[in-house]
Amino acid sequence: MSIHPDIVAWKRRFGACLAAALGGLLLSGARDVTHELRHREAHLAAVSAEVCAWACQVAARPLAAPSAGDLDQRAVFLVQASSVPASHGRQRAGR
Amino acid sequence: MKASGTRRDADGIGLHTRLTWMLFLFALWCGLVVLRLAQYMLLDRERTVTAMARDSVYEGVVAADRGRILDREGRVLAWSERVYEVSWRIPSSPEDALREFGVLPAAAPGLVRSWAPEQILARCGQWVCLGTEFDAVQVLAFEPLRGSLAELDVRATFRRQRVENPEVTALLGRVVCTADGTEVGVSGLELLHDEILRGQPGIFRVTLDKHGKWIPETWTKLADLRRGYDVHLPLRSGTPAGSP
């Protein structure tokens, strides 16, 4: 029995493990990215509807509905202007 | 034959030494990484998480409109109006100050009082109030200016309005604003019906970019915004002058 390690075999094993790890990372990353891209429009529409509903309530009148997949910047501005930080009283942050 | 065997032995020992060293260095590197992670996750966890949350997440509260008080005939006796105060920080540089000053009247015609350029230059680096009683529609005129003005601050407050009738006003009582802008009744009918009149403030969370600006698509609602309920009193008021 030889005490010398089979370097070539170990290289192959190491390469296979590395390839498997990289492949797994790439696949999971690609899956996350495509998942986000697929659901981005629906997510934007939901956020836009919520922000618009708040802006209408703050303004006490209806605002023009934003186009699909687009956030109404006026609604965002109105909600921003009407908000105060939750933990810092009237101190302003994140404008 | 003997020389060849000696060389192979020497190669084997050299390889073994190199592998040992590589393994040692790899273990050392892993140990350093683990120690560093442990420092972040165990020792400095609180400080790091607080700093990250402070810098990257904004949690805001939108105060709810207080409900109205009406008499038995449906006439409004007390109601709330949300008004906005708009302030502009004049840039320190005179060129920037005049450039930003130039876009103000065009974007918000009639809302901003006229300033002479000398007055603007004399206040470089200072905050100036552009108005304190803008309503929601008026304040929207400032929205396109966000990209043009470096520092524009808009704050909302409530004004509790009442009919001009001293007897009714005394009966209605007073409200004060809390830190999050919510109006709270402190006397009279405002205090008596406070739970009904006071709405539920909306709470949200949004992620900030590296400039501290909102990333709107990360906006998440944490609590619903609900305006207060109206209260109908079993009394008949005199003249509802001044009611909306």
Side-chain angles (χ1 to χ4, degrees):
Chain A
M1 195 176 81
S2 171
I3 59 164
H4 297 298
D6 187 348
I7 299 296
V8 177
W10 276 108
K11 270 186 184 171
R12 264 195 228 112
R13 285 174 201 148
F14 181 74
C17 286
L18 196 67
L22 285 175
L25 275 174
L26 283 173
L27 278 177
S28 65
R31 196 191 59 180
D32 287 351
V33 168
T34 50
H35 180 269
E36 197 166 314
L37 281 176
R38 273 203 310 271
H39 294 89
R40 181 181 160 76
E41 205 157 306
H43 174 68
L44 269 180
V47 168
S48 181
E50 282 184 347
V51 174
C52 272
W54 279 34
C56 290
Q57 204 178 132
V58 162
R61 70 196 74 199
L63 296 174
S67 54
D70 188 25
L71 269 171
D72 185 357
Q73 292 304 316
R74 297 184 321 144
V76 172
F77 177 74
L78 214 51
V79 173
Q80 269 186 340
S82 306
S83 72
V84 292
S87 54
H88 301 103
R90 305 292 288 176
Q91 186 187 344
R92 307 298 266 195
R95 290 278 134 174
Chain B
M1 192 71 183
K2 191 178 176 183
S4 168
T6 309
R7 193 164 55 245
R8 200 161 48 231
D9 289 348
D11 287 349
I13 291 166
L15 182 66
H16 186 263
T17 311
R18 281 203 299 274
L19 281 173
T20 308
W21 270 106
M22 279 179 67
L23 189 63
F24 172 72
L25 288 175
F26 184 69
L28 187 69
W29 176 74
C30 284
L32 286 174
V33 169
V34 168
L35 280 176
R36 191 69 172 155
L37 285 175
Q39 184 196 351
Y40 278 125
M41 296 171 76
L42 300 176
L43 302 178
D44 297 341
R45 179 186 164 82
E46 200 66 30
R47 190 162 54 88
T48 313
V49 169
T50 309
M52 279 174 64
R54 187 184 59 232
D55 294 343
S56 61
V57 174
Y58 173 78
E59 206 170 291
V61 180
V62 177
D65 288 74
R66 191 171 174 82
R68 300 174 301 169
I69 298 178
L70 304 96
D71 68 6
R72 70 179 182 186
E73 288 166 353
R75 284 181 290 215
V76 183
L77 305 178
W79 68 99
S80 288
E81 287 175 359
R82 199 187 296 258
V83 293
Y84 296 87
E85 177 187 329
V86 180
S87 302
W88 168 50
R89 187 173 182 273
I90 303 175
S92 304
S93 146
E95 294 81 24
D96 290 342
L98 289 175
R99 182 180 52 76
E100 290 193 7
F101 173 62
V103 302
L104 264 178
L111 298 180
V112 181
R113 67 172 172 156
S114 55
W115 299 73
E118 296 78 27
Q119 289 176 299
I120 295 296
L121 292 175
R123 294 173 181 224
C124 280
Q126 294 177 18
W127 282 96
V128 291
C129 181
L130 302 176
T132 56
E133 297 283 335
F134 294 123
D135 65 22
V137 173
Q138 287 174 324
V139 86
L140 281 175
F142 291 93
E143 192 274 324
L145 292 176
R146 283 195 296 177
S148 312
L149 303 185
E151 289 186 76
L152 186 73
D153 188 46
V154 186
R155 295 171 186 232
T157 51
F158 284 106
R159 297 269 184 276
R160 191 68 172 166
Q161 309 285 3
R162 295 175 189 84
V163 290
E164 291 172 8
N165 183 331
E167 285 177 16
V168 174
T169 305
L171 191 67
L172 292 175
R174 288 179 51 246
V175 296
V176 295
C177 275
T178 60
D180 68 0
T182 303
E183 289 178 309
V184 179
V186 291
S187 64
L189 293 169
E190 296 279 10
L191 174 61
L192 189 66
H193 299 292
D194 189 56
E195 280 189 25
I196 304 168
L197 289 165
R198 199 193 305 184
Q200 178 183 297
I203 305 175
F204 64 90
R205 183 183 295 145
V206 69
T207 306
L208 307 176
D209 66 9
K210 62 180 180 181
H211 303 295
K213 306 279 184 198
W214 286 19
I215 304 173
E217 55 265 38
T218 62
W219 193 89
T220 311
K221 179 175 68 179
L222 301 180
D224 273 320
L225 174 66
R226 180 185 57 75
R227 62 164 292 142
Y229 295 113
D230 293 343
V231 168
H232 292 258
L233 300 174
L235 59 85
R236 183 184 294 162
S237 67
T239 54
S243 61

